[in-house]
Amino acid sequence: MRNWCLAAVAAVVVASWGPVAQAQTTLRIGLAEDPDVLDPTMARTYVGRIVFAATCDKLFDIDEKLNIVPQLALSQETSADGKEVIIKLRSGVKFHDGEPFDAEAAKFSLDRHLTLPGSFRKPELASLDHVDVVDPLTIKLVLKAPFSPLIAQLTDRAGMMVSPKAAKEAGDKFGLRPVCAGPYKFVERVQQDKIVFEKFADYWNKDNVFIDRIVYQPIVDATVRLANLKSGALDLIERVLATDIKDVRADSRLALSTAIELGYQGITLNIGKDKAKGPLSQSAKVRQALDLAIDREALNQVVFNGEFMPGNQWVNPSHPYYQKAFPVRARDVEKAKALLKEAGVTPPVAVDFMVPKGAETEAAAQVVQSMAAEAGFDLKIRVTELATSLKQAEAGDYQAFMLSWSGRIDPDGNSYVFLHRNAPQNYSVWANAEADKALSDARLVTDMAQRKALYEKLTKLEIEDEPILYLYHRRILIAHTKKLEGYKQMPDGLVRVVGLKLK
């Protein structure tokens, strides 16, 4: 009888402890799109970078003031001639498959970024000739020429490290099940539905990881995302509509985190690959006319309640590399009409206007369409899923493309990849020898005044030829439940999960 009672008591104790022991915290994050492939070498979407922040640590990271700080690397030292960079690596780091992260693994990842067919990291590491293993925890990057943005590039996907074993075994399927060295390891992905991660027990900084699982859910409709946050179905959402700011702030259960982005929203114009040979691709005057038809401040007020920052360059007007000699031009419809006449073009100028699906982007495109119509343009909006639009942009199957760029901490990351003739994301297929030289020369110097002078030349050329019409710089708007503690928003727009707690 006594033994039976003890067993019964034990059963009650286990039953009461069980749920506590098994209770898991899950952070549910609403994304504005479904990311593309989850392979840091091949990926190119902003929303993909948000997901990578939880699973693929980088050699370096940034802090709130855009200072470069250690992550998987501990330090870096550049030689006097700028052609060699010694990087010391963190010890005791493991990949999600249990394999050790060391100098050989770092070399593998960087080599993979450079050599994998179709790599979008290759232009970011263009000056890297080869990587030497100095010792188990030290690598030496040997450059073809000095490359001032290098360490900044390593704070993003170019600095993400992948497991050599997993990458070799998976081949071109690695992005279906990524294996990195971040705080959370991949569990499953259901396209257009969810991406699930769970806490990695052997993470090098595991004492600062407090949430057990993260579930990313792509919900394109911003209103639906916010409704899910309010109902408690989500804990955090990205890209809150500017028109919903008051609504979020009025809800005592929610918090709003903001920062002006590093990137931009603009309209890329197909110059070199327009199959229809339309007026936009054939004449800079026609492109300038479209630019002059747009009132950027009015666009900001109408669509974004004045919360965003109008702009006309690849960095925002508060950025140290912004070229003040080329301020945002005022709208001038009459001059726009005159330019069309000078170009020998008879209005209306029909334009295939590809616009990625999304409430704010579509609303902005409609306002631009209305403004442009007054100057003689007929912008035919074609709403397209983001991943599809990028493929069509690569193929040249568009004339104007409403495209956003999440931005990088170095100005090179906002310009070279889109404006250099050989860059893979030069969707405009713009080719200008002087611009190429300015872009390349800016990579060779570290002095800010020298670099800024080179970017001034580039700005002048870009504004004259207009391969991209820069429109505005978004305010990063992240809303989350107040049950989530420790969240800080940085200008790169990423959602960092280390240090977060759910009450």
Side-chain angles (χ1 to χ4, degrees):
M1 184 72 174
R2 181 173 176 274
N3 288 340
W4 182 88
C5 289
L6 289 173
V9 171
V12 170
V13 171
V14 169
S16 64
W17 284 359
V20 175
Q22 294 172 7
Q24 284 198 326
T25 50
T26 300
L27 178 63
R28 298 155 301 175
I29 298 177
L31 303 175
E33 300 115 15
D34 198 29
D36 60 348
V37 62
L38 295 179
D39 180 339
T41 300
M42 306 299 291
R44 55 185 170 175
T45 59
Y46 162 59
V47 74
R49 293 172 65 223
I50 292 177
V51 174
F52 282 131
T55 193
C56 290
D57 273 8
K58 306 157 292 188
L59 290 174
F60 300 93
D61 200 5
I62 62 168
D63 64 15
E64 292 168 271
K65 296 181 179 179
L66 298 183
N67 297 309
I68 295 174
V69 296
Q71 196 168 63
L72 292 179
L74 292 175
S75 65
Q76 63 86 18
E77 184 178 347
T78 303
S79 63
D81 65 1
K83 292 185 178 182
E84 292 185 354
V85 181
I86 298 289
I87 296 178
K88 297 285 186 180
L89 305 175
R90 189 179 297 278
S91 63
V93 176
K94 290 183 180 180
F95 290 106
H96 299 148
D97 58 1
E99 292 291 303
F101 167 71
D102 55 17
E104 291 288 353
K107 173 179 167 57
F108 174 86
S109 290
L110 292 169
D111 285 348
R112 185 174 186 267
H113 289 327
L114 280 174
T115 61
L116 196 67
S119 168
F120 282 94
R121 308 288 79 81
K122 186 175 181 179
E124 298 170 5
L125 299 171
S127 288
L128 179 56
D129 185 75
H130 65 275
V131 182
D132 290 335
V133 173
V134 178
D135 62 43
L137 290 174
T138 308
I139 56 173
K140 178 167 69 175
L141 309 188
V142 181
L143 310 183
K144 301 169 189 173
F147 185 53
S148 54
L150 178 63
I151 303 303
Q153 297 285 26
L154 298 179
T155 67
D156 208 279
R157 285 170 296 199
M160 290 180 187
M161 301 287 103
V162 303
S163 164
K165 180 182 177 184
K168 289 173 185 175
E169 290 177 354
D172 61 2
K173 302 293 192 294
F174 178 79
L176 300 177
R177 196 173 187 84
V179 180
C180 297
Y184 290 85
K185 63 180 181 180
F186 180 85
V187 175
E188 67 168 326
R189 178 178 190 178
V190 180
Q191 293 286 154
Q192 304 294 333
D193 181 35
K194 64 182 178 180
I195 307 173
V196 182
F197 293 89
E198 65 181 21
K199 182 165 64 173
F200 178 43
D202 290 328
Y203 181 53
W204 63 269
N205 193 18
K206 63 184 176 183
D207 290 345
N208 285 314
V209 179
F210 306 106
I211 295 170
D212 297 299
R213 286 168 72 85
I214 300 181
V215 179
Y216 295 92
Q217 294 178 243
I219 301 174
V220 174
D221 190 312
T223 303
V224 175
R225 279 202 306 282
L226 181 55
N228 274 268
L229 178 66
K230 287 186 162 190
S231 72
L234 292 173
D235 303 299
L236 181 150
I237 61 173
E238 55 115 2
R239 273 178 278 183
V240 174
L241 296 180
T243 48
D244 286 334
I245 289 177
K246 290 181 181 178
D247 195 10
V248 172
R249 286 177 174 155
D251 193 323
S252 61
R253 302 165 302 167
L254 303 180
L256 188 71
S257 295
T258 77
I260 288 292
E261 69 174 350
L262 295 170
Y264 62 82
Q265 177 89 43
I267 303 175
T268 298
L269 303 178
N270 187 347
I271 294 177
K273 221 173 184 178
D274 178 19
K275 299 176 179 67
K277 302 293 182 185
L280 267 179
S281 65
Q282 302 304 299
S283 171
K285 287 184 178 181
V286 177
R287 297 192 289 274
Q288 289 169 10
L290 178 58
D291 191 347
L292 286 168
I294 301 168
D295 186 329
R296 288 161 170 79
E297 182 53 45
L299 176 65
N300 180 37
Q301 295 296 333
V302 170
V303 182
F304 310 114
N305 282 359
E307 293 282 349
F308 289 5
M309 183 180 286
N312 66 331
Q313 298 173 29
W314 50 87
V315 292
N316 69 60
S318 65
H319 194 282
Y321 277 92
Y322 183 80
Q323 302 294 332
K324 293 181 180 179
F326 302 98
V328 177
R329 290 181 291 202
R331 187 185 191 217
D332 192 335
V333 174
E334 292 309 311
K335 186 174 181 181
K337 289 179 179 179
L339 283 170
L340 290 182
K341 190 174 181 180
E342 287 176 28
V345 174
T346 303
V349 179
V351 178
D352 171 38
F353 189 18
M354 184 166 63
V355 178
K357 189 173 184 179
E360 282 189 337
T361 305
E362 291 177 50
Q366 288 163 6
V367 172
V368 169
Q369 179 189 51
S370 178
M371 290 175 174
E374 294 179 27
F377 289 89
D378 178 16
L379 301 185
K380 300 178 184 297
I381 293 176
R382 176 165 55 90
V383 178
T384 312
E385 291 291 343
L386 178 62
T388 302
S389 71
L390 291 172
K391 289 179 181 177
Q392 293 190 6
E394 276 185 348
D397 295 334
Y398 79 98
Q399 291 180 315
F401 179 20
M402 192 84 162
L403 180 62
S404 62
W405 178 242
S406 53
R408 301 294 182 267
I409 61 172
D410 189 279
D412 177 89
N414 284 9
S415 53
Y416 192 101
V417 71
F418 296 107
L419 298 174
H420 193 283
R421 76 176 67 208
N422 295 321
Q425 287 169 267
N426 180 358
Y427 300 132
S428 180
V429 196
W430 186 48
N432 184 296
E434 289 183 73
D436 290 348
K437 187 176 189 311
L439 283 161
S440 298
D441 287 350
R443 290 181 155 187
L444 300 176
V445 295
T446 56
D447 179 76
M448 184 175 175
Q450 288 180 283
R451 292 190 83 199
K452 195 166 181 178
L454 290 165
Y455 284 125
E456 183 177 11
K457 291 180 183 178
L458 176 65
T459 303
K460 182 176 185 295
L461 294 166
E462 197 285 329
I463 284 177
E464 286 174 353
D465 217 16
E466 304 264 40
I468 300 174
L469 309 184
Y470 302 97
L471 298 179
Y472 57 87
H473 306 273
R474 297 163 297 186
R475 183 174 294 279
I476 298 159
L477 299 170
I478 301 286
H480 60 83
T481 172
K482 287 185 177 176
K483 293 180 180 178
L484 183 66
E485 297 179 337
Y487 188 79
K488 295 178 182 178
Q489 188 53 55
M490 297 192 199
D492 62 3
L494 304 191
V495 176
R496 287 167 172 79
V497 293
V498 173
L500 299 186
K501 294 181 180 179
L502 264 178
K503 288 191 288 186

